[in-house]
Amino acid sequence: MNITNDYRRELKSKIIEYAMNEFRQRGIKAVKMDEISRGLHVSKRTVYEIFGDKEELLLAGIELRMRNLEEC
């Protein structure tokens, strides 16, 4: 069990969940990566290490939602 990888996977999921909620509430253009990092109390650098940009984050969120729908 690799604690670092587990932490990264959990953090990635939290970022996606938080960002998708913000995108739904405020709109994609209105949400900034700075706001996502502040809302989760992680550095902006950490968010950018996991997701290269907002588009990549949005696509990851959409893919996750699609997988969840397929499982239902």
Side-chain angles (χ1 to χ4, degrees), residues 3-62:
I3 294 171
T4 303
N5 285 340
D6 290 343
Y7 171 77
R8 281 286 200 203
R9 272 193 295 277
E10 185 177 324
L11 182 56
K12 183 176 182 176
S13 294
K14 286 181 181 181
I15 293 169
I16 291 171
E17 183 179 335
Y18 184 87
M20 293 304 283
N21 187 46
E22 291 293 305
F23 293 153
R24 267 193 310 280
Q25 289 181 14
R26 298 175 41 216
I28 296 164
K29 286 187 176 185
V31 177
K32 307 297 180 210
M33 295 294 265
D34 280 345
E35 297 165 345
I36 293 168
S37 66
R38 274 190 303 237
L40 292 169
H41 305 287
V42 297
S43 72
K44 187 166 67 168
R45 178 180 178 173
T46 299
V47 175
Y48 276 108
E49 284 176 356
I50 296 172
F51 298 101
D53 57 21
K54 187 166 62 171
E55 183 177 317
E56 186 178 328
L57 173 53
L58 177 61
L59 289 174
I62 292 169

